[in-house]
Amino acid sequence: MGVAALIRQRLGECSPAERRVARTLLAAYPSAGLGTVAALAERAEVSAPTVLRFLARLGFGGYPEFQRALRDELAERETSPLSAYRAAERTGSPPEGALPRAAATLPEAVAGTLAELPQGELDAAVRLFADQQSRVTAAGGRFSGLLAHYLVLHLMQVRGGSRLLPATPVERTDMLVDVGRRDLFALFDFRRYEEPTLALAREVTARGAKVVLFTDRWLSPVAGLAEVVLPSRVESPSPYDSFVPALALVETLVAAVIDRLGPVAGTRLKAMEAAQQTYGSA
């Protein structure tokens, strides 16, 4: 588990002063933790001993150990498919082949993702997505946009009021100009985080919308703006990060939303099936 995910997991255990430290770190992660103890304490408006107590609660032996963990994460966050490929070249091709690697890697990554997911975060996400008064918009990056589309297709079926952020500027502008407090954004942002996703999160939260972030264990910069953060592992048998764990997380969320909606989801599915019969070939 990354440092930011650990902070969010322990947030409920903290004193009010320690929570100020946590929120200061998450709002400018990881740069807020790379200065001095005094600078972090001043930024959070707490004492230096409060910062150290907070880090001890997280399991760190001191500020230097905490900063080493942050620097290690920074290096991992910048890993690209090319750098992973070159690293594999230096160490030599694994002898066992792709199929055994996948069989060893992917089930563990899915199980770890679900085991490490804070129940409170999942419950909060389910409440938000099951609220039919909200209007859901999903968006992702070059690859993670596929997950955003997958989520929207399911939400269309079980609750309605869900859409994918358009790619064309005119349609996107038309959608975003009316964003307000009843809007919920599902944003997908994984390492080598995309600046447009962060810019979108800043804009919509400034207008009162809520954000549920799907990200990796290092946490996208969007985490500081999100109402809920749902991290997943990305271990893969190839140089590319895997979205298999994230897909499992999306399907878990959909299942939980259906459970919360109860008969409402069944009624919506029935109506969608009938509409498909009427309009599907049009």
Side-chain angles (χ1 to χ4, degrees):
M1 181 181 296
V3 175
L6 179 61
I7 291 171
R8 292 189 70 92
Q9 186 182 63
R10 297 289 180 84
L11 202 55
E13 306 170 11
C14 296
S15 68
E18 290 170 348
R19 281 198 292 273
R20 287 201 294 274
V21 180
R23 293 193 178 106
T24 299
L25 285 166
L26 292 174
Y29 186 83
S31 59
L34 295 175
T36 64
V37 175
L40 177 55
E42 181 179 0
R43 195 166 182 171
E45 299 181 346
V46 300
S47 66
T50 297
V51 172
L52 296 177
R53 282 195 299 273
F54 171 68
L55 297 182
R57 187 184 294 278
L58 298 182
F60 293 104
Y63 202 66
E65 182 182 342
F66 168 68
Q67 290 194 316
R68 281 195 298 274
L70 288 182
R71 292 191 182 98
D72 288 345
E73 277 197 10
L74 272 174
E76 291 178 332
R77 286 175 73 170
E78 295 304 315
T79 297
S80 69
L82 178 59
S83 62
Y85 179 81
R86 286 173 173 166
E89 272 190 325
R90 287 194 297 270
T91 58
S93 299
E96 65 272 22
L99 184 58
R101 288 203 308 276
T105 303
L106 296 178
E108 183 177 340
V110 170
T113 293
L114 299 180
E116 293 164 3
L117 183 66
Q119 185 66 50
E121 291 288 279
L122 179 62
D123 291 344
V126 170
R127 285 194 297 272
L128 289 171
F129 283 112
D131 179 4
Q132 292 181 284
Q133 299 304 308
S134 67
R135 178 173 54 187
V136 177
T137 304
R142 289 173 297 169
F143 287 90
S144 60
L146 297 170
L147 294 171
H149 196 184
Y150 188 76
L151 174 63
V152 165
L153 288 174
H154 282 80
L155 295 178
M156 285 177 175
Q157 292 273 320
V158 301
R159 56 144 283 165
S162 304
R163 57 196 182 170
L164 195 65
L165 187 68
T168 59
V170 173
E171 291 174 310
R172 179 181 289 233
T173 300
D174 175 64
M175 182 179 287
L176 294 177
V177 74
D178 296 320
V179 165
R181 296 178 64 84
R182 65 182 287 256
D183 285 285
L184 173 63
F185 280 75
L187 299 183
F188 292 78
D189 196 28
F190 291 78
R191 68 176 173 183
R192 303 190 82 197
Y193 310 109
E194 301 192 36
E195 183 61 34
T197 304
L198 177 58
L200 174 64
R202 286 175 176 150
E203 178 64 24
V204 300
T205 53
R207 291 167 175 249
K210 293 182 174 64
V211 169
V212 174
L213 173 66
F214 296 80
T215 186
D216 49 47
R217 68 182 183 89
W218 301 281
L219 299 196
S220 155
V222 175
L225 300 165
E227 186 88 3
V228 178
V229 178
L230 302 175
S232 57
R233 294 190 180 187
V234 296
E235 290 88 345
S236 166
S238 80
Y240 289 93
D241 285 349
S242 174
F243 283 157
V244 170
L247 181 60
L249 178 53
V250 168
E251 295 201 340
T252 301
L253 174 68
V254 169
V257 168
I258 292 171
D259 288 347
R260 187 173 179 91
L261 288 171
V264 171
T267 301
R268 173 74 181 181
L269 283 166
K270 184 178 179 180
M272 289 291 287
E273 288 286 345
Q276 178 66 27
Q277 294 295 321
T278 304
Y279 308 117
S281 59

